[in-house]
Amino acid sequence: MSRDLSADIDRLTSQLADLRRALSKQASVSAEDASGYLVPRARQVARQFRHGGHDLTEVVRRNPGTTTGAVIGALALTAAFAFLLSKSGSDRG
């Protein structure tokens, strides 16, 4: 009886290890897929923010009181995208 129980435990342990490996691999593939989809789009948006920076500066010069919230929002978005890009770059390297 104890041999059967020991064999069952060994078999279940092996199956659990196989399941963990499979789930880990699937999670890794899903993360790579999401990264492959999001990173190019985030880079494109970051480029657009950089190119639009000059226009934003002109608007702020003309309307300093009304654009403070927009500037803060744009800076927050730029910082968020920069963080995402740096995070994705460190994950691949």
Side-chain angles (χ1 to χ4, degrees), residues 2-3 8-10 12 23 26 30-31 33 37 44-45 49 51 53-54 57 62 68 73-74 76 78-79 88 91:
S2 65
R3 282 188 181 192
D8 287 344
I9 289 174
D10 289 342
L12 289 173
L23 289 175
Q26 183 179 5
S30 295
D33 289 347
Y37 177 80
Q44 181 182 12
V45 169
F49 272 124
H51 292 303
H54 177 69
T57 303
R62 287 188 223 138
T68 303
T78 302
S88 69
D91 288 346

Side-chain angles (χ1 to χ4, degrees), residues 1-15:
M1 172 98 175
S2 65
R3 282 188 181 192
D4 291 338
L5 187 57
S6 179
D8 287 344
I9 289 174
D10 289 342
R11 184 177 44 81
L12 289 173
T13 301
S14 176
Q15 289 175 350

Side-chain angles (χ1 to χ4, degrees), residues 35-83:
S35 177
Y37 177 80
L38 292 175
V39 168
R41 284 154 184 81
R43 286 186 178 140
Q44 181 182 12
V45 169
R47 278 193 298 273
Q48 290 173 350
F49 272 124
R50 280 192 299 256
H51 292 303
H54 177 69
D55 296 336
L56 182 61
T57 303
E58 289 300 316
V59 170
V60 170
R61 285 184 187 156
R62 287 188 223 138
N63 306 304
T66 58
T67 56
T68 303
V71 170
I72 291 171
L75 291 174
L77 285 173
T78 302
F81 278 81
F83 174 76

